Amino acid sequence: MLYVLIGIALILPGLIFLTRKRPNAAAVRKLLDELATKNDFTSDTEFISSNRGYMLDKSGERLLYVELDKNRTTQMLIDVAAVTGCEIVRTYKTKSETRSGVAAKYLSKIHLHLLSGDSHPHCKLRFYDEALDNVSDMKMLFQKAWHLKRSILR
């Protein structure tokens, strides 16, 4: 009985943390479908993560991006024809306290910047954030950003 209580005490906080950390992907899917129907959007490529998703309509040259946070919802309908370039931007942080005493750099964010006529970012699409995503998903999310970049530039 004591082992069961100890097990519950150790596992329950982890489960609460994981469920609090990841918003519902079904809500993202529902919002994307509503916006796609409203804007007469035909999806050629789509991706849905825990709190964000996108749909790409190659024939209509449009990109629909949705991101859900606790306090706000971001919705963007982007004209792909106006995009002159794409850039994957990785943001690193430095962790100064390690066992060896050496500062270590780690990847904290991955964004896809869509560039307009001037070289300033037209908009930023988030693909990875250390506060929202699991480290194990980092490679897959980078590949999704790279794939979307190639699809937009074609």
Side-chain angles (χ1 to χ4, degrees), residues 5-38:
L5 291 175
I6 292 172
I8 290 173
L10 293 175
I11 293 173
L12 190 59
L15 290 175
I16 291 171
F17 175 73
L18 287 176
T19 55
R20 189 191 80 219
K21 187 176 178 182
R22 306 193 91 177
N24 190 0
V28 175
R29 161 62 73 193
K30 182 181 176 188
L31 186 57
L32 269 175
D33 288 341
E34 288 173 2
L35 291 171
T37 304
K38 179 180 168 185

Side-chain angles (χ1 to χ4, degrees), residues 38-108:
K38 179 180 168 185
N39 293 304
D40 193 27
F41 203 86
T42 330
S43 175
D44 296 322
T45 304
E46 64 182 55
F47 172 71
I48 294 178
S49 179
S50 60
N51 71 329
R52 59 194 162 276
Y54 67 81
M55 290 181 171
L56 178 64
D57 181 6
K58 292 180 186 176
S59 60
E61 295 184 335
R62 296 180 298 170
L63 174 70
L64 182 60
Y65 179 81
V66 171
E67 184 172 349
L68 300 177
D69 284 334
K70 291 180 184 177
N71 301 330
R72 66 185 177 118
T73 300
T74 304
Q75 304 170 7
M76 289 188 258
L77 183 60
I78 301 161
D79 181 19
V80 176
V83 174
T84 58
C86 294
E87 185 176 79
I88 297 176
V89 177
R90 298 177 204 147
T91 306
Y92 291 90
K93 284 190 176 177
T94 303
K95 186 175 181 181
S96 58
E97 297 178 17
T98 60
R99 291 182 186 172
S100 63
V102 178
K105 283 177 62 174
Y106 65 94
L107 187 62
S108 66

Side-chain angles (χ1 to χ4, degrees), residues 83-138:
V83 174
T84 58
C86 294
E87 185 176 79
I88 297 176
V89 177
R90 298 177 204 147
T91 306
Y92 291 90
K93 284 190 176 177
T94 303
K95 186 175 181 181
S96 58
E97 297 178 17
T98 60
R99 291 182 186 172
S100 63
V102 178
K105 283 177 62 174
Y106 65 94
L107 187 62
S108 66
K109 295 180 183 179
I110 298 173
H111 286 94
L112 180 65
H113 290 199
L114 303 179
L115 306 172
S116 58
D118 50 1
S119 60
H120 292 44
H122 178 62
C123 62
K124 298 177 186 180
L125 309 179
R126 181 179 6 190
F127 275 85
Y128 173 77
D129 190 338
E130 67 173 333
L132 300 171
D133 299 307
N134 292 326
V135 176
S136 60
D137 294 336
M138 183 189 319

